[in-house]
Amino acid sequence: MTKIHNLGFPRIGAKRELKFALESYWQGQSSRDELKTLGQQLRQRHWQLQAGLDSVPVGDFAYYDQVLDMSFTLGNLPERVRDFHGDALDNYFRVARGRSADSANDADDCCAGVAAGEMTKWFDTNYHYIVPEFSAATEFKLDASRLLEQLGEAKAQGVTTKPVLIGPVTYLWLGKAKDDSDKLALLPKLLPVYAELLDTLAAEGVEWVQIDEPILVTELDAVWQNAFVTAYRQLADCPVKLLLATYFGQLAENRSLTANLPVAGLHVDAINGSDDVEPLIDQLPAGKVLSLGVINGRNIWKTDLNAVLDWLEPLAQQLGERLWLAPSCSLLHVPVDLDSEQKLDAEIKSWLAFAKQKLEELRQLSTALNQGRAAVKAELDANRAAIEARRLSARVNNPAIKAALAGITPQMAQRKSPYAQRAVKQVALLKLPKFPTTTIGSFPQTAEIRLARSQFKSGKLDEAGYKAAMRAEIARCVREQEALGLDVLVHGEAERNDMVEYFGEQLDGYAFSQSGWVQSYGSRCVKPPILFGDISRPRPMTIEWIGYAQSLTGKPMKGMLTGPVTILNWSFVRDDQPRSVTCKQLALAIREEVLDLESVGIGVIQIDEAALREGLPLRRSQWQAYLDWAVESFRITTGGVTDETQIHTHMCYSEFNDIIAAIADMDADAITIETSRSDMELLDAFEHFNYPNEIGPGVYDIHSPNIPSAQHIVALMSKAAECIPTERLWVNPDCGLKTRQWDEVIPALAQMVAAAKTLRATL
Ligand code: GLN
Ligand code: ZN
């Protein structure tokens, strides 16, 4: 009998119940008990949904983040919160979110301000975890209370439990040694705590424990590889069976190491690592369970069940009882329930599966393997029909777009002249001062803007009324920028809900869910648009707004677009063609928009690529291939304009060292980046590379309400001027201003403009 299980279930709730409960608790509008009750209800509901599985995950639920939960389980609290006397859950939120001193309602030392833990991306997903903090002195101490409580609840519910832990080696790898000590040196201190935890779970009658070690799909040096051997030898005597889980990619050169670790079972991602599976089976010691992740836990498409069965049936013959099936990874990365979608186009809906539907697919697969395909014939036939319909749909396949893609020439990705020649023409035309000032695009999204948008969506405000409201905002924004004396203006993006969704809504080939929320961090969720078909742009998307803005001013108005790589990386994208192909289709659509902007007289066009870096594959060996098509896509969007049209791009992060060559290869005339928090240090990468084009290093942090001083900005820019020639420097904030208030934006930008004037006079 092939067993089925799950690695983790989305905890946010089909209606984002956890989000709202957390936010209400944080705002003091509900009690801790109410929050805990809601948490318990969600866990119960989710186990209920998984009750058809042979075992359900326990401990995958977290109020904020599963890595932070693990830190608390291991007693690894940051030094600064150790002597907190209040409730443990509150202390947990202190680490997760930080707490400012003035919000403390208690003069007690323990309630003074505390910095939040650092947050970073969970592998190549859009989920963010709280980074464990280490030092050479770190000690661990087991606190199994959370797990035991959840285990008790699950047992009471009568489901077969499989506790889920982050494995010791991955746990260390995810963290950061604050004193630059060797974090791997903590392994001998950490392993006894894991052993004690496994003993504790065994005493509760647990048979299997899932221990996640996803770093096994990344490139590991010998020291880290050896750590696996050390760790799992030491845990081998524990009285539970370990299912070592890897996901998000291939084991590749770690395959033999992983196959031979002394654990009872191994889970691998058979979607992203399918090439690994057969060689792995050959290497797998007799008796070891192999769990294959055959349902994609990272996208929202139905699985082709018949094709998976064709592949699985011989493996099931070979492995017998040793074969288990699961989603490829935790379902944390997909929305909860397709059944909640009321408005989604019925045809597109028939091609999709969210978490609940994916578990049903899993059940059908196991029934087919265990009882023969005839036992689920109706389901398999329906699945085949849906897969075929999607494959053949005219809404998915547009021959004209396939032809356009085939017609991409190298010239299309090439500006007419090199930057140095373009720059001369742009200077002559734009007549900008030295240290020109600009902003990144958005201005405050005020309550009035949001109200107008929601009234328009609900039909309370007609299109004319909505447009008038947005035009009024744009006019205000232009007026304010002129009054401030900025050099290159923007229209302010009032009409945009989100920088990806706004474009997705206007492109053919996109669909939108109502409740397809996925947790990004804590209570924050994103609702990625669904890119299902060949992409085309039926009509211009931004010309009306930006043309209107330009009509209000004699200064250059910067057109504002989102780039193809960012649109791709922030969408659920199709799985029936390579991402590179989808990206180039997006690039062709954005290219048309760029040319239309140019044709109505917009001489400066910014194409945001905020998510270019986050699309980097997990393995460095695959980086270049990604960067090649990502950069080419960007260049396709810009390659059609004249030399006089100045192309900007913007990226809101600060690690450029390892991708600087690709950034330069994008050949934007100017790039604006985030630098203020790093004190301009990241300009080093640009200096060492001799980055040839213009740069606007962000001079103040827009995430903070603080108003920067002109003096500080002058100091930062003077530092920048040591790395980059002054004629290639721009002065701008770190990122868009949409989350700020006007009364913060005006004084901050006034300081920035004043700083630019000082710089012009002195440098
Ligand atoms: N143009 C966008 C804005 O200003 C850029 C946002 C971003 O980089 N994330 O809002
Ligand atoms: Zn940004």
Side-chain angles (χ1 to χ4, degrees), residues 226-283:
N226 287 335
F228 275 100
V229 178
T230 311
Y232 286 91
R233 269 196 199 143
Q234 195 163 329
L235 298 179
D237 302 331
C238 290
V240 288
K241 294 182 188 157
L242 293 181
L243 179 75
L244 185 102
T246 68
Y247 37 81
F248 300 148
Q250 312 209 356
L251 295 172
E253 74 282 0
N254 299 324
R255 192 191 307 128
S256 147
L257 164 74
T258 310
N260 292 301
L261 290 173
V263 291
L266 178 62
H267 170 86
V268 294
D269 182 331
I271 303 283
N272 292 301
S274 57
D275 296 348
D276 259 355
V277 172
E278 280 156 53
L280 181 67
I281 292 175
D282 294 339
Q283 283 175 307

Side-chain angles (χ1 to χ4, degrees), residues 363-397:
R363 196 191 59 77
Q364 290 166 12
L365 284 177
S366 79
T367 309
L369 286 181
N370 293 333
Q371 299 168 32
R373 294 198 199 193
V376 276
K377 183 171 186 315
E379 288 92 334
L380 291 180
D381 288 348
N383 176 268
R384 176 181 289 115
I387 300 287
E388 279 294 284
R390 179 179 161 215
R391 196 170 62 79
L392 299 172
S393 167
R395 299 172 69 185
V396 173
N397 305 291

Side-chain angles (χ1 to χ4, degrees), residues 651-654 656 672-678 682 698 703 734:
M651 297 182 188
C652 32
Y653 40 79
S654 46
F656 285 98
T672 57
I673 55 176
E674 175 179 320
T675 30
S676 71
R677 279 181 294 183
S678 70
L682 75 110
H703 302 95
D734 261 355

